[in-house]
Amino acid sequence: MSESVLNAILRSDLKAFTEKVFATVDQSSVYLDNWHIQAICHQLTRCHDGEINNLMITQPPRSMKSICASVALVAWALGKNPALKTICVSYSGPLAIELARQCRMVMESEWYQALFPHTRLSKTTESELITTKGGGRFATSIGGTLTGRGADIIIIDDPLKADDAQSETKRREVIDWYRGTLSTRLNN
């Protein structure tokens, strides 16, 4: 397959793009394709294209939800529209930062820059990636400060750690923060 054909596929097919992302962020593991990854990428593409506004993915840990949604989708969407603003939320700061690091790794890779030559990072911090067009990715944890921030896409990835999922108090804290803070940050 020629490079131009491969690049056309990567630009248009989130699942193919996700496979390339996986190879970039986890070089020590072998990518194992499965129908659920196709299903996740199909629904994320529908979100990206505006066919659906809200999507909840519930799957067990280690099933590529985070790579698909918090890393691949964000990098792919910013490749298509570098002015897009995203907020990615996880239950802990370290997890949010790790997913931001993986997204940065993808966006700074040679293959990504060749694929999306109009998307370049102008500023990067541990929690924020900003493109030269003013878009980007902001990472925070549940309960984190979002004052002054808005986003076209908000991704909530693992809002509770497994130990807290059975706690009514912890679940209520997440719901209250979502309703009182996060949901007000969505643009349009």
Side-chain angles (χ1 to χ4, degrees):
M1 182 180 315
S2 75
E3 185 175 341
S4 63
V5 170
L6 177 60
N7 284 347
I9 291 169
L10 293 173
R11 277 188 212 96
S12 63
D13 183 351
L14 180 58
K15 183 179 176 292
F17 184 83
T18 298
E19 290 181 44
K20 186 80 170 166
V21 166
F22 181 86
T24 301
V25 301
D26 192 352
Q27 297 174 8
S28 65
S29 298
V30 175
Y31 175 81
L32 299 174
D33 197 18
N34 196 13
W35 67 267
H36 79 280
I37 298 168
Q38 177 65 43
I40 291 171
C41 290
H42 173 73
Q43 295 300 339
L44 290 173
T45 300
R46 291 183 68 215
C47 286
H48 174 268
D49 294 347
E51 292 177 34
I52 55 178
N53 292 325
N54 298 299
L55 175 65
M56 182 182 293
I57 301 169
T58 55
Q59 288 185 278
R62 313 297 299 158
S63 59
M64 292 218 7
K65 296 180 308 294
S66 295
I67 288 178
C68 290
S70 292
V71 181
L73 173 65
V74 175
W76 189 68
L78 285 168
K80 292 170 169 286
N81 179 2
L84 191 75
K85 294 180 184 334
T86 61
I87 295 174
C88 296
V89 182
S90 298
Y91 70 82
S92 74
L95 177 58
I97 297 303
E98 173 56 21
L99 295 171
R101 184 191 69 78
Q102 290 177 8
C103 191
R104 180 174 40 257
M105 181 187 303
V106 169
M107 293 180 71
E108 289 177 341
S109 70
E110 287 181 26
W111 69 265
Y112 181 90
Q113 293 183 4
L115 189 65
F116 297 114
H118 301 293
T119 300
R120 292 291 180 263
L121 295 174
S122 65
K123 178 182 175 187
T124 65
T125 67
E126 221 179 30
S127 62
E128 190 167 30
L129 310 175
I130 301 174
T131 69
T132 56
K133 304 292 185 191
R137 182 190 193 284
F138 180 72
T140 191
S141 60
I142 294 292
T145 302
L146 291 172
T147 303
R149 297 200 180 269
D152 304 302
I153 298 173
I154 296 175
I155 297 169
I156 305 169
D157 188 344
D158 291 330
L160 291 165
K161 62 182 177 178
D163 295 346
D164 291 342
Q166 300 305 316
S167 166
E168 178 65 33
T169 302
K170 294 291 185 181
R171 288 195 310 269
R172 177 58 42 206
E173 287 173 7
V174 170
I175 292 167
D176 290 347
W177 182 75
Y178 170 79
R179 287 183 178 155
T181 301
L182 187 61
S183 66
T184 67
R185 299 291 130 193
L186 194 58
N187 293 339
N188 195 8

